[in-house]
Structures are given as structure tokens and as C-alpha cells.
Amino acid sequence: MPHHKSSYTARAASFKNPTASRLLKLMDEKQTNLSIAADVTTKAELLKLADVLGPYICVFKTHIDIVTDFDQDLIKQLEALAQKHNFLIFEDRKFADIGNTVKHQYSQGVYHIASWSDITNAHPLPGEGIIKGLKEVGLPLSRGLLLLAEMSSAGSLAKGAYSEEAVRMARRNRDFVIGFIGQRRLSVPLDAGQEQEDDFLYLTPGVSMAQPGDSLGQQYRSPEQVILESECDVIIVGRGIYGAADPVAKATEYREAGWAAYQKRLGVSQ
Ligand code: 5BU
């Protein structure tokens, strides 16, 4: 059976990375494949979103470097909310340098990302050294990495052979690379000696039920297109939820739409 036709829980066992299995299981437990992109710029707003939306999401996605009043207490409180509501934290850092540099960026500096973020991501652009560098820090902490195989923005250069190479890099680093940021489940010819495709998670930004895009190149698709047609696993929604008058009501709508698409994909009748 193709991986995307199995339940999240059934797929958990085939990942040896503990963060990947934890995520897959908690999605079925909480009945949600929704991730919020919490792109707000104050500590108070970020923590409020984590607390009110926590029950409806599987992953809380941050851009920690846009928070003006960042401090260590923010991390402490965010971790407590992740425990309270059982969600994973994903710092959307998009590392893009050589292995030796990203290692420091991941573990040190102001943010110490590796110490609190269950998942982070990296561009495959520099080559496999970027994974090796991040892995030295992240693997001992049981963290998971997503490779940016594709982007949602217009004119993205991450396509074709580039995206395929991201999959091959991931296959070679399956202990740490748990999946991709991408717009669709990728189909790449198997490597020599490989009998079947490894399972990977696909987390997909660029999701809105209201807008076709923004004025800066963002392109949106619906939860159904992402989960059912493109066979991805998690919808990432930002302004469609936190920008609404009632973010909880919107999160409920996106959660339901994402979950219905998943049920349909599994062939479960409603
Ligand atoms: P939006 O408000 O739903 O458009 O926010 C989308 C979020 O996903 C935002 O945090 C982006 O940085 C992030 N993103 C994206 O939009 N497209 C991509 O290809 C990648 C990340 Br990778």
C-alpha cells in the first residue's frame, strides 16, 4: 500500500526518528493535521496563539527571530504550552550554510534553537554537509529535520532535479531527516538496491481557503488540494488563522477541512 494511504499511526512504526513517530501518533490522537504558522512579533501574541490554538494543532511553527521582545522566559512558557496541549514546536529557520556554520547557528547564538525546537528545516542547496552539521547537534537530542524540497512562492527555483535530489539526500539520512517542506508528495525513481520508497512526512505551507495569494508572491491552495490531491500530511496555515477576527473559529474550520481530506484519502466514509 502506498504510504499516504495508511493512517498516520500505522506509519509511525516505520520511522526510527522519535520525533517523526511522536508527531504521527499525536495527529491521530488529536485528530488534527493542522499546523499554525504563528508569525506574530511579540512574546505575548505568540504565547496567546499557542495557548488558544494548542488544542487544535499538531505543530506550532515559529519564526523566533521576528519576535521583538524575545527572552528565555518565552521559550520556557512555550515549552510548557507544548506539554499542556501536546503539540510539537517547529522553528522554520531554513538553514542554508555549510555544515560547520549551521551547527553553531542551530545550537548557539541568541536562540539555541536545538534546545527547544522539536523540528527545524534546511535548504538542500549547500549539499549534504548541511544535514551532517545539523545532525551532529540534533540527533543526540532526538530532533527531526525537514528539507525544503519545494516552496510555495511564485518563481521558486526549488523544482525538478533539485527537488528530486532533496529526496535522495533524505533517503541517505533517514535517522535525522523526517521529511520535507513541499507542495506535493514527490515521486523519485528508487536508488539502486532500494526495494521501496521510504516513508517521509510532507508539511505544506501556502494554505488558505479564502485567498489565492498575497502581493509578495505567496500562492495558496486549499486543505483538500494539499492533503487529498497532492498527498501531503500537514497543512501549515498562517494569516488565514491568526489574521482572522476569530482565530479559534478559523482554526476549527481548517482542522475540520484538513481532517476530512485525510479521511477521504484513507477511504473512510464520513
Ligand atoms: P501564510 O500567512 O499562511 O502565508 O504563512 C505561511 C508561512 O509558511 C510563513 O511562516 C512562511 O514563512 C512559511 N513558508 C511559506 O509560506 N512557503 C514556503 O514554501 C515555506 C515556508 Br518553506
Side-chain angles (χ1 to χ4, degrees), residues 36-39 61-63 66 90 92 94 121 123 147-153 156 181-183 203-208 213-214 218-220 236-243:
I36 172 79
D39 295 338
K61 187 177 89 61
T62 55
H63 280 302
I66 67 173
F90 165 23
D92 187 0
K94 300 187 180 70
N121 55 357
H123 288 287
L147 291 179
L148 285 117
E150 293 179 323
M151 293 192 69
S152 59
S153 40
S156 165
I181 298 288
Q183 293 298 303
L203 280 70
T204 305
V207 177
S208 170
D214 68 10
Q218 177 67 296
Q219 305 175 114
Y220 289 123
I236 301 176
V237 184
R239 285 163 286 182
I241 291 178
Y242 72 77

Side-chain angles (χ1 to χ4, degrees), residues 168-242:
R168 294 200 185 90
M169 279 189 198
R171 287 176 184 160
R172 293 193 291 268
N173 293 277
R174 217 173 158 264
D175 49 352
F176 186 48
V177 178
I178 61 175
F180 306 98
I181 298 288
Q183 293 298 303
R184 68 208 154 87
R185 185 168 294 272
L186 294 165
S187 163
V188 175
L190 297 179
D191 296 337
Q194 198 184 7
E195 280 171 20
Q196 59 165 38
E197 180 57 286
D198 294 312
D199 193 5
F200 288 107
L201 289 160
Y202 284 77
L203 280 70
T204 305
V207 177
S208 170
M209 297 196 281
Q211 306 289 336
D214 68 10
S215 60
L216 299 173
Q218 177 67 296
Q219 305 175 114
Y220 289 123
R221 291 183 308 144
S222 70
E224 174 126 341
Q225 283 173 313
V226 168
I227 300 288
L228 196 58
E229 286 170 30
S230 301
E231 302 169 355
C232 294
D233 299 308
V234 173
I235 51 169
I236 301 176
V237 184
R239 285 163 286 182
I241 291 178
Y242 72 77

Side-chain angles (χ1 to χ4, degrees), residues 22-245:
R22 215 187 123 203
L23 174 57
L24 283 159
K25 284 185 206 153
L26 85 82
M27 286 162 77
D28 272 339
E29 274 163 28
K30 289 179 75 175
Q31 303 207 339
T32 179
N33 51 22
L34 172 64
S35 167
I36 172 79
D39 295 338
V40 290
T41 55
T42 65
K43 174 179 169 182
E45 287 172 290
L46 194 73
L47 291 172
K48 175 134 194 265
L49 282 178
D51 202 16
V52 300
L53 301 179
Y56 311 99
I57 59 169
C58 56
V59 172
F60 189 77
K61 187 177 89 61
T62 55
H63 280 302
I64 207 66
D65 57 352
I66 67 173
V67 179
T68 315
D69 52 349
F70 170 86
D71 61 9
Q72 279 310 314
D73 179 64
L74 164 55
I75 296 304
K76 212 173 122 196
Q77 292 201 51
L78 187 58
E79 285 180 316
L81 290 169
Q83 278 229 317
K84 175 179 170 192
H85 297 300
N86 192 24
F87 59 72
L88 297 189
I89 306 173
F90 165 23
E91 165 58 21
D92 187 0
R93 174 60 178 75
K94 300 187 180 70
F95 292 104
D97 213 321
I98 61 166
N100 186 59
T101 301
V102 296
K103 201 167 87 176
H104 299 307
Q105 290 173 321
Y106 188 25
S107 59
Q108 304 298 322
V110 176
Y111 301 113
H112 300 98
I113 294 166
S115 77
W116 52 270
S117 187
D118 300 290
I119 300 169
T120 191
N121 55 357
H123 288 287
L125 183 80
E128 212 159 324
I130 191 169
I131 302 175
K132 303 257 180 271
L134 293 169
K135 183 152 65 169
E136 280 186 17
V137 173
L139 202 61
L141 297 168
S142 301
R143 304 304 187 202
L145 182 72
L146 300 169
L147 291 179
L148 285 117
E150 293 179 323
M151 293 192 69
S152 59
S153 40
S156 165
L157 303 178
K159 58 184 178 183
Y162 179 96
S163 308
E164 291 198 5
E165 206 47 51
V167 174
R168 294 200 185 90
M169 279 189 198
R171 287 176 184 160
R172 293 193 291 268
N173 293 277
R174 217 173 158 264
D175 49 352
F176 186 48
V177 178
I178 61 175
F180 306 98
I181 298 288
Q183 293 298 303
R184 68 208 154 87
R185 185 168 294 272
L186 294 165
S187 163
V188 175
L190 297 179
D191 296 337
Q194 198 184 7
E195 280 171 20
Q196 59 165 38
E197 180 57 286
D198 294 312
D199 193 5
F200 288 107
L201 289 160
Y202 284 77
L203 280 70
T204 305
V207 177
S208 170
M209 297 196 281
Q211 306 289 336
D214 68 10
S215 60
L216 299 173
Q218 177 67 296
Q219 305 175 114
Y220 289 123
R221 291 183 308 144
S222 70
E224 174 126 341
Q225 283 173 313
V226 168
I227 300 288
L228 196 58
E229 286 170 30
S230 301
E231 302 169 355
C232 294
D233 299 308
V234 173
I235 51 169
I236 301 176
V237 184
R239 285 163 286 182
I241 291 178
Y242 72 77

